[in-house]
Amino acid sequence: MKWENNRQSDNVEDLRGQTRSGGGFGGRMGGRRPGGRGLGLGTIVIALIAGWIFGINPLTILGVLGGGGEMLPAEPPAQTRSAPAPAPQDDMGRFVAAVLGGTEDAWGDIFKASGSQYRAPRLVLFQGAVGTACGTGQSAMGPFYCPGDEKVYIDLSFYDTLRRQLGAPGDFAQAYVIAHEVGHHVQNLMGITSQMDRMRGRVSQREYNGLSVRLELQADCFAGIWAHHNHQSKAILEPGDIEEALNAASAIGDDALQRKSQGMVVPDSFTHGTSEQRQRWFHTGLKTGSVQACDTFNARAL
């Protein structure tokens, strides 16, 4: 991935030297423990991965979508948005800033074309645990998005797990993770998050799981949109990049994780989609670059 072609975002907060390390989960996200109901994973490695898979802020997964959202920014967070932090100085920090800058440019153009204005999220680099508007975030949760403060949170140690334990190496696989979380931010701006939250608790567990799958597959599709537009404007893709992203999407499919952790697959408990679905929806966004093509909520087949 030619990430050096991207503008580095100044919306990165590098708290890696300030956040605490280790320890158990010390808070609640959006009034509920992150992760919802887990898969009963038996190893630390799989627990870390499941933390990311099921650790997306509950406000984005506990509820039901009542209809398609418009491409209109939601109200900004109640708290004052802090001034941009200095850009990270290490290579990995600059990589993250460049990927975030690419998402800002891509989604900025898309929102502008729709007659609206994109409000970029902040991205927080942390280690161990960090305070958020949604409660205390922890490294074991993996990357997550908090709509309360419109920030993406990442402990970069997750990338080691992604590479060494899941067999999904490569800088484009790492960029896909960021673009997926930014996809949740886009859903927040479109009003999808608030629509789901207003309907929280009004559907059965099975229905909730199905809607959660559609939410996550849409975020995968939005990640594909980022890649489509970023490559058109900055020519970021190199041979093997798409395969890296598809490999990462496959590694974190519900069926792959369940098979690895418990030796069996329970489709009714899926919350993020199968490996094949996650690959297909990412590829849909990549191929079309169209928000309308990512309407997973009205898709007859996933």
Side-chain angles (χ1 to χ4, degrees), residues 214 281 295-302:
R214 292 177 184 271
W281 280 102
D295 185 6
T296 56
F297 291 97
N298 289 309
R300 291 185 178 181
L302 294 179

mmCIF file of all heavy atoms in Angstrom, residues 214 281 295-302:
data_model
loop_
_atom_site.group_PDB
_atom_site.id
_atom_site.type_symbol
_atom_site.label_atom_id
_atom_site.label_comp_id
_atom_site.label_asym_id
_atom_site.label_seq_id
_atom_site.Cartn_x
_atom_site.Cartn_y
_atom_site.Cartn_z
ATOM 1 N N ARG A 214 -26.100 -6.868 9.525
ATOM 2 C CA ARG A 214 -26.277 -5.902 8.439
ATOM 3 C C ARG A 214 -25.508 -4.616 8.713
ATOM 4 O O ARG A 214 -24.954 -3.989 7.797
ATOM 5 C CB ARG A 214 -27.769 -5.615 8.226
ATOM 6 C CG ARG A 214 -28.529 -6.814 7.669
ATOM 7 C CD ARG A 214 -30.021 -6.554 7.520
ATOM 8 N NE ARG A 214 -30.718 -7.756 7.076
ATOM 9 C CZ ARG A 214 -30.912 -8.096 5.808
ATOM 10 N NH1 ARG A 214 -30.472 -7.284 4.846
ATOM 11 N NH2 ARG A 214 -31.538 -9.204 5.488
ATOM 12 N N TRP A 281 -19.020 -7.934 0.761
ATOM 13 C CA TRP A 281 -19.483 -6.558 0.927
ATOM 14 C C TRP A 281 -18.331 -5.562 0.873
ATOM 15 O O TRP A 281 -18.494 -4.453 0.360
ATOM 16 C CB TRP A 281 -20.290 -6.421 2.218
ATOM 17 C CG TRP A 281 -21.691 -6.921 2.033
ATOM 18 C CD1 TRP A 281 -22.212 -8.112 2.427
ATOM 19 C CD2 TRP A 281 -22.751 -6.238 1.347
ATOM 20 N NE1 TRP A 281 -23.528 -8.228 2.041
ATOM 21 C CE2 TRP A 281 -23.886 -7.088 1.384
ATOM 22 C CE3 TRP A 281 -22.853 -4.996 0.720
ATOM 23 C CZ2 TRP A 281 -25.100 -6.726 0.803
ATOM 24 C CZ3 TRP A 281 -24.073 -4.633 0.139
ATOM 25 C CH2 TRP A 281 -25.173 -5.495 0.184
ATOM 26 N N ASP A 295 -26.310 -0.595 0.803
ATOM 27 C CA ASP A 295 -27.540 -0.636 1.593
ATOM 28 C C ASP A 295 -27.828 -2.072 2.023
ATOM 29 O O ASP A 295 -28.700 -2.746 1.457
ATOM 30 C CB ASP A 295 -28.707 -0.057 0.807
ATOM 31 C CG ASP A 295 -29.974 0.027 1.632
ATOM 32 O OD1 ASP A 295 -29.916 -0.254 2.866
ATOM 33 O OD2 ASP A 295 -31.024 0.388 1.065
ATOM 34 N N THR A 296 -27.098 -2.536 3.008
ATOM 35 C CA THR A 296 -27.273 -3.908 3.485
ATOM 36 C C THR A 296 -28.623 -4.115 4.169
ATOM 37 O O THR A 296 -29.109 -5.231 4.232
ATOM 38 C CB THR A 296 -26.161 -4.270 4.474
ATOM 39 O OG1 THR A 296 -26.153 -3.330 5.549
ATOM 40 C CG2 THR A 296 -24.799 -4.258 3.792
ATOM 41 N N PHE A 297 -29.211 -3.037 4.687
ATOM 42 C CA PHE A 297 -30.453 -3.180 5.446
ATOM 43 C C PHE A 297 -31.645 -3.500 4.554
ATOM 44 O O PHE A 297 -32.624 -4.075 4.999
ATOM 45 C CB PHE A 297 -30.724 -1.919 6.252
ATOM 46 C CG PHE A 297 -29.764 -1.727 7.380
ATOM 47 C CD1 PHE A 297 -28.662 -0.913 7.240
ATOM 48 C CD2 PHE A 297 -29.938 -2.397 8.583
ATOM 49 C CE1 PHE A 297 -27.752 -0.764 8.282
ATOM 50 C CE2 PHE A 297 -29.050 -2.252 9.621
ATOM 51 C CZ PHE A 297 -27.946 -1.430 9.478
ATOM 52 N N ASN A 298 -31.560 -3.116 3.284
ATOM 53 C CA ASN A 298 -32.628 -3.438 2.357
ATOM 54 C C ASN A 298 -32.249 -4.511 1.361
ATOM 55 O O ASN A 298 -33.011 -4.814 0.440
ATOM 56 C CB ASN A 298 -33.064 -2.165 1.603
ATOM 57 C CG ASN A 298 -33.821 -1.198 2.500
ATOM 58 O OD1 ASN A 298 -34.771 -1.576 3.174
ATOM 59 N ND2 ASN A 298 -33.380 0.049 2.539
ATOM 60 N N ALA A 299 -31.071 -5.085 1.537
ATOM 61 C CA ALA A 299 -30.636 -6.159 0.649
ATOM 62 C C ALA A 299 -31.420 -7.441 0.953
ATOM 63 O O ALA A 299 -31.571 -7.827 2.110
ATOM 64 C CB ALA A 299 -29.144 -6.392 0.805
ATOM 65 N N ARG A 300 -31.917 -8.092 -0.085
ATOM 66 C CA ARG A 300 -32.661 -9.328 0.108
ATOM 67 C C ARG A 300 -31.751 -10.473 0.535
ATOM 68 O O ARG A 300 -32.141 -11.357 1.293
ATOM 69 C CB ARG A 300 -33.396 -9.693 -1.182
ATOM 70 C CG ARG A 300 -34.534 -8.758 -1.521
ATOM 71 C CD ARG A 300 -35.307 -9.254 -2.747
ATOM 72 N NE ARG A 300 -36.446 -8.393 -3.054
ATOM 73 C CZ ARG A 300 -37.287 -8.608 -4.042
ATOM 74 N NH1 ARG A 300 -37.113 -9.669 -4.829
ATOM 75 N NH2 ARG A 300 -38.293 -7.786 -4.258
ATOM 76 N N ALA A 301 -30.533 -10.444 0.030
ATOM 77 C CA ALA A 301 -29.568 -11.499 0.357
ATOM 78 C C ALA A 301 -28.270 -10.845 0.792
ATOM 79 O O ALA A 301 -27.817 -9.884 0.185
ATOM 80 C CB ALA A 301 -29.330 -12.420 -0.822
ATOM 81 N N LEU A 302 -27.669 -11.372 1.854
ATOM 82 C CA LEU A 302 -26.407 -10.841 2.328
ATOM 83 C C LEU A 302 -25.242 -11.674 1.798
ATOM 84 O O LEU A 302 -24.098 -11.285 1.928
ATOM 85 C CB LEU A 302 -26.398 -10.813 3.856
ATOM 86 C CG LEU A 302 -27.394 -9.866 4.510
ATOM 87 C CD1 LEU A 302 -27.310 -9.958 6.026
ATOM 88 C CD2 LEU A 302 -27.127 -8.434 4.070
#
